[in-house]
Amino acid sequence: VQLQASGGGLVQAGGSLRLSCECSGGTFSSYVMGWFRQAPGKEREFVAAISRSGVSRYNADSNKGRFTISRDNAKNTVYLQMNSLKIEDTAVYYCAADYRRTIGVTINRYDYDYWGQGTLVTVSS
């Protein structure tokens, strides 16, 4: 299974970006998908997750109301729409897949089995 994240870049505070993560080599519709991020000198932290069908979604408190996770199982792709970006959102963003969970989502990074390479998001003032 390979996950290819894209869409990162430099944006001003208050702006928007949409990250994409395309899955290949596996059965995308059977994976819980998550987004995590890691800022320099910090631990990798949970951002958002979505269930296999897309019915269940969960966001970290830090981005509720600003970030939206979605998926298109026909395109084997998960998205993260990020609005009202803040300087503290600057990080490398990673997508991840959990093939074992059948119901709901998980925010625990150790539950995820496959990881993408990351895409850098830089928010400037």
Side-chain angles (χ1 to χ4, degrees):
V1 175
Q2 291 189 331
L3 302 175
Q4 182 70 43
S6 61
L10 175 63
V11 63
Q12 286 191 324
S16 298
L17 279 176
R18 187 175 84 152
L19 305 184
S20 300
C21 174
E22 184 174 1
C23 176
S24 61
T27 308
F28 179 74
S29 60
S30 66
Y31 304 149
V32 170
M33 296 301 297
W35 285 98
F36 291 78
R37 68 186 183 186
Q38 188 166 16
K42 294 189 176 182
E43 293 284 319
R44 190 169 299 189
E45 65 176 8
F46 171 77
V47 174
I50 189 167
S51 63
R52 294 176 167 191
S53 65
V55 170
S56 297
R57 309 179 193 201
Y58 190 80
N59 287 62
D61 289 342
S62 62
N63 65 69
K64 282 181 180 176
R66 301 189 298 123
F67 292 6
T68 302
I69 188 170
S70 62
R71 68 189 296 160
D72 185 338
N73 286 345
K75 295 183 178 180
N76 294 339
T77 302
V78 62
Y79 305 97
L80 184 69
Q81 177 66 45
M82 305 187 293
N83 299 329
S84 303
L85 282 160
K86 304 176 180 180
I87 292 175
E88 52 264 41
D89 293 320
T90 295
V92 177
Y93 283 70
Y94 299 90
C95 58
D98 170 5
Y99 72 84
R100 288 168 286 181
R101 183 167 301 275
T102 57
I103 299 174
V105 301
T106 177
I107 68 171
N108 186 340
R109 62 178 175 168
Y110 298 106
D111 288 338
Y112 288 83
D113 307 290
Y114 307 114
W115 291 82
Q117 86 289 0
T119 185
L120 176 62
V121 172
T122 303
V123 184
S124 65
S125 59

